[in-house]
Amino acid sequence: MVERANKPSALSATPGLAPQPTVTFSDDNSRVTAELPTGETVEILLYGATVISWKDSRGDEKLWLSEAAKLDGSKPVRGGIPLVFPVFGTAPNHASASKLPQHGFARNNRWEFLGKSTSESAAGKQAADLSVKLDFGLSSSAVSNSDLWPFKFNLIYSVTLNRENLTTSLVVTNDDDKPFECQVLMHTYLRVKDITQVKITGLDGASYTDKVDGASTKSQSGDVTITGETDRVYTPKGGPSDPVSVVESGKTPYTVTRDNLSNVVVWNPWTEKAEGMADFAPKDGYKNMLCIEPGAVGAWQTLEAGDAFEGAQTITIPY
């Protein structure tokens, strides 16, 4: 065969097709980044399958990530979207979850990248219609501290980037021959400009557990504002179909919708709590972040042998 002296190394695009989403890995294979042709990006750390960045087409970051966050796999990431499974917080009085670390082990084990898929594209298809989905997996056999929770399970986590939104979904499968109980939550840190100018709509009339006030049960009246340390587990009146919106200075930068996740945790550490967290930086960073965390944590989800639980959130931004 005759070698061409100047043969092309690769074709940059297939003739006739619209530009396609791209997926790249970091040099050390610790993270994966997806980018749409229109410029939106999402970056996921394989440690914890933690989304650590989500930017719009202008390059504006939508997630808050602590400047002191550990991204080397030495501890869970402070910021982005850490995954909580199989326990929310700690459960010292729960038979099977009492020995688990804070928020379980999904966020502090390395996940396997399972692959990508993109929306079907064809000649003339609008770039705004494109999307890319990244799938990650974690099984009980790959968990470093699996002896603390003696059940066989499989987790599939999907991160889907569209031009106007980001969707994260988690499927939990019980691979054991006996039932287990679990909790699931997506600990989303949204970036805001000024927390004192923020209100949260969609929670009026919802009952909530106020963890700052002795885990007392209360009812929300009107919109939620943040004026001090806030740690509340809400159960919106309309169920998972009720959207929750963040409104800042009269505009709505984020609307969060849920699928099969009945709770919404609202969290901001404020001054003293932020000071006490070594991996929270800058210390006044609480002014620029707000956690809106969809989850199923108000009660334990019971999965029989072979059953699966799926929950998802979609965060929509104005375009």
Side-chain angles (χ1 to χ4, degrees):
M1 183 174 71
V2 178
E3 288 288 330
R4 292 171 55 192
N6 298 305
K7 66 179 180 180
S9 58
L11 292 175
S12 59
T14 303
L17 286 182
Q20 303 296 300
T22 60
V23 175
T24 57
F25 283 86
S26 61
D27 290 340
D28 61 357
N29 286 321
S30 67
R31 61 188 72 181
V32 58
T33 301
E35 181 174 3
L36 298 182
T38 43
E40 295 81 3
T41 62
V42 65
E43 185 175 5
I44 300 96
L45 191 71
L46 291 182
Y47 183 77
T50 309
V51 180
I52 56 175
S53 175
W54 169 35
K55 295 179 181 178
D56 64 18
S57 59
R58 297 179 297 274
D60 292 335
E61 181 62 63
K62 301 303 175 184
L63 302 177
W64 185 87
L65 183 68
S66 170
E67 293 177 3
K70 302 297 184 183
L71 304 180
D72 59 358
S74 60
K75 65 178 300 184
V77 176
R78 174 70 65 188
I81 310 179
L83 282 173
V84 172
F85 174 87
V87 62
F88 174 59
T90 58
N93 298 320
H94 190 273
S96 61
S98 60
K99 297 180 181 179
L100 290 171
Q102 171 88 0
H103 292 333
F105 48 68
R107 64 179 189 152
N108 56 14
N109 276 273
R110 183 182 172 97
W111 291 55
E112 178 184 0
F113 177 63
L114 301 179
K116 68 168 183 176
S117 56
T118 58
S119 55
E120 185 175 347
S121 303
K125 185 176 178 68
Q126 295 296 316
D129 295 332
L130 296 179
S131 66
V132 57
K133 181 166 77 79
L134 308 176
D135 293 323
F136 305 85
L138 180 70
S139 66
S140 47
S141 61
V143 172
S144 59
N145 46 0
S146 58
D147 58 314
L148 301 180
W149 199 65
F151 299 103
K152 295 179 181 178
F153 65 88
N154 187 59
L155 306 180
I156 302 293
Y157 184 53
S158 299
V159 179
T160 304
L161 175 67
N162 289 279
R163 192 168 191 194
E164 298 179 4
N165 55 57
L166 184 75
T167 297
T168 61
S169 65
L170 182 66
V171 178
V172 181
T173 303
N174 182 353
D175 288 341
D176 216 308
D177 57 3
K178 54 185 177 293
F180 63 67
E181 293 183 323
C182 66
Q183 296 176 324
V184 170
L185 178 129
M186 299 170 190
H187 201 309
T188 309
Y189 289 72
L190 296 174
R191 178 176 289 274
V192 298
K193 295 178 181 178
D194 181 356
I195 192 64
T196 66
Q197 300 301 310
V198 167
K199 65 179 180 180
I200 304 157
T201 66
L203 296 173
D204 185 27
S207 64
Y208 68 91
T209 300
D210 192 342
K211 298 175 73 175
V212 176
D213 188 15
S216 56
T217 300
K218 302 179 180 179
S219 180
Q220 181 64 37
S221 178
D223 298 332
V224 180
T225 57
I226 310 298
T227 57
E229 182 185 350
T230 303
D231 192 355
R232 303 173 181 175
V233 182
Y234 282 91
T235 304
K237 286 180 21 177
S241 61
D242 272 6
V244 175
S245 295
V246 176
V247 179
E248 183 172 10
S249 302
K251 299 180 180 180
T252 305
Y254 309 105
T255 296
V256 181
T257 55
R258 295 161 291 129
D259 184 5
N260 203 33
L261 298 174
S262 57
N263 304 114
V264 176
V265 175
V266 176
W267 183 76
N268 184 288
W270 213 250
T271 311
E272 291 185 16
K273 189 95 171 189
E275 284 287 346
M277 292 186 288
D279 60 351
F280 194 98
K283 291 305 179 184
D284 63 354
Y286 69 89
K287 298 176 181 178
N288 305 118
M289 54 75 60
L290 172 66
C291 284
I292 301 292
E293 313 165 27
V297 297
W300 292 92
Q301 308 300 310
T302 300
L303 285 188
E304 299 295 334
D307 281 356
F309 172 88
E310 181 173 5
Q313 69 165 345
T314 296
I315 311 168
T316 300
I317 57 176
Y319 175 69

